[in-house]
Amino acid sequence: MARVVGEVSMSLRRTDGEIDEDLVWSTTGADVFEPSIPWRTFRWRYGQKHYSGTHWSSTMRDHVVYESRLELTRLLYADFDPDLTAVFAQPFLLTTTVDGRRRRHVPDFLVLRENDVPLVVDVKPGHLLTRPKVNFALGWARAVVLSRGWDFEVWSEPPEAELANLRFLAGYRRDRLFDQDLLAEIRATDLYGATLGEAFCAFPRHPDWRVRAAVLRLLWCQHFVTDMAEPLSERRVLRKGRAGVCKASVQTPRKREARSVSSRGAVQVGSSSVSLPQ
């Protein structure tokens, strides 16, 4: 197993392009990430294998960069997690000595969570995790992160049906597009145990399309929960979720460069006009 030797330092890239180098990893607080930008620049080139882009994050209320479709998927899951308060892409550069050699690593995301320690996330396709070079890099990065009491996660492909459902519901993540009075009316109604189709028909004095959108918005917010392991349909039963209202970001969004980017994208998914299968 790889052994971390010597001090671990961290570097940040500030919004003005300047770099803060040699910060002490073990004592630098998570608040330093707010006035920073992603470590790497946004890259596009002919023939590249990964699709980079920006995702409008409902957690950050701003665009977050990603460097692959799998990272984009992780950002969708971050938005869906009500405990998350912020997600930063390529947050810092770690530098240390491992087995006698100087090593450098840039994690994919730093996730801040309510009432929990920060989470460092590396996104890797499952088929790469058995490669010795990848395993070695993730191993020492995990050791460094855990050494200061933070959590570390290696995130790979989620189940296909669950991801398809999440992509659909992500179309309802922008809170400003919804009638807040209608959302309050639905939240005040006991629909637990009803099917999704029954919920769509429970408010006849409102336009059908508006009710459908509001119910799906509350499913995204997890006021309602249902089985996400199977494709969504109007037969899905609604259960009581963890939160009565959607989370609001408590972080001031970082300003991004016009370039490049969070434990669960830019694909256009879901809209109020999309019909669920019967």
Side-chain angles (χ1 to χ4, degrees):
M1 177 177 290
R3 182 178 58 189
V4 178
V5 179
E7 295 294 328
V8 181
S9 65
M10 177 177 67
S11 300
L12 300 174
R13 193 180 301 277
R14 297 298 178 186
T15 54
D16 59 4
E18 296 296 318
I19 296 176
D20 286 349
E21 295 185 286
D22 299 326
L23 299 172
V24 179
W25 166 247
S26 60
T27 59
T28 303
D31 57 330
V32 301
F33 299 105
E34 202 55 55
S36 64
I37 61 175
W39 182 261
R40 289 188 291 265
T41 59
F42 185 89
R43 296 189 296 258
W44 274 109
R45 64 176 176 82
Y46 178 75
Q48 74 177 34
K49 296 181 179 180
H50 301 291
Y51 290 94
S52 305
T54 58
H55 163 71
W56 189 87
S57 167
S58 58
T59 300
M60 298 300 291
R61 311 193 72 78
D62 195 6
H63 287 89
V64 179
V65 301
Y66 61 87
E67 291 190 314
S68 70
R69 291 296 188 186
L70 190 57
E71 288 187 13
L72 170 60
T73 298
R74 183 62 180 87
L75 287 174
L76 284 180
Y77 277 80
D79 275 351
F80 192 58
D81 188 339
D83 290 333
L84 266 59
T85 59
V87 55
F88 301 112
Q90 305 162 26
F92 48 78
L93 169 69
L94 289 175
T95 305
T96 190
T97 302
V98 183
D99 292 351
R101 290 184 56 186
R102 201 68 171 161
R103 310 284 182 175
R104 292 155 56 93
H105 181 69
V106 179
D108 294 312
F109 300 110
L110 171 68
V111 171
L112 303 185
R113 302 174 292 182
E114 189 172 2
N115 301 321
D116 208 344
V117 297
L119 170 68
V120 175
V121 180
D122 271 311
V123 176
K124 290 292 181 186
H127 71 276
L128 296 181
L129 296 180
T130 58
R131 295 187 180 182
K133 185 176 179 179
V134 173
N135 203 308
F136 175 82
L138 294 176
W140 74 255
R142 179 191 298 273
V144 166
V145 172
L146 296 182
S147 71
R148 66 164 300 168
W150 288 7
D151 287 342
F152 184 87
E153 172 187 87
V154 177
W155 200 87
S156 298
E157 296 87 344
E160 291 185 8
E162 181 180 273
L163 175 56
N165 290 334
L166 199 59
R167 282 175 170 164
F168 174 77
L169 291 177
Y172 302 87
R173 70 186 185 276
R174 295 171 173 83
D175 56 350
R176 64 181 179 81
L177 301 179
F178 296 88
D179 183 332
Q180 298 302 312
D181 291 336
L182 177 55
L183 291 175
E185 182 178 347
I186 297 174
R187 286 196 296 266
T189 304
D190 184 5
L191 293 175
Y192 306 128
T195 65
L196 196 53
E198 290 169 341
F200 289 159
C201 299
F203 304 91
R205 63 190 190 87
H206 297 282
D208 290 348
W209 65 268
R210 183 168 292 176
V211 174
R212 291 172 67 89
V215 170
L216 292 170
R217 165 68 180 169
L218 292 177
L219 193 56
W220 166 262
C221 292
Q222 299 185 58
H223 173 81
F224 301 122
V225 295
T226 192
D227 183 7
M228 296 284 282
E230 299 292 336
L232 281 175
S233 75
E234 294 190 355
R235 296 187 297 273
R236 293 285 135 209
V237 175
L238 301 177
R239 303 188 305 276
K240 187 174 183 178
R242 295 176 52 193
V245 295
C246 287
K247 66 179 178 182
S249 174
V250 298
Q251 301 288 327
T252 302
R254 294 195 293 182
K255 294 301 180 184
R256 313 291 175 166
E257 299 176 19
R259 59 182 181 86
S260 44
V261 260
S262 111
S263 7
R264 293 228 224 265
V267 178
Q268 185 64 37
V269 290
S271 70
S272 59
S273 61
V274 174
S275 297
L276 290 172
Q278 303 295 317

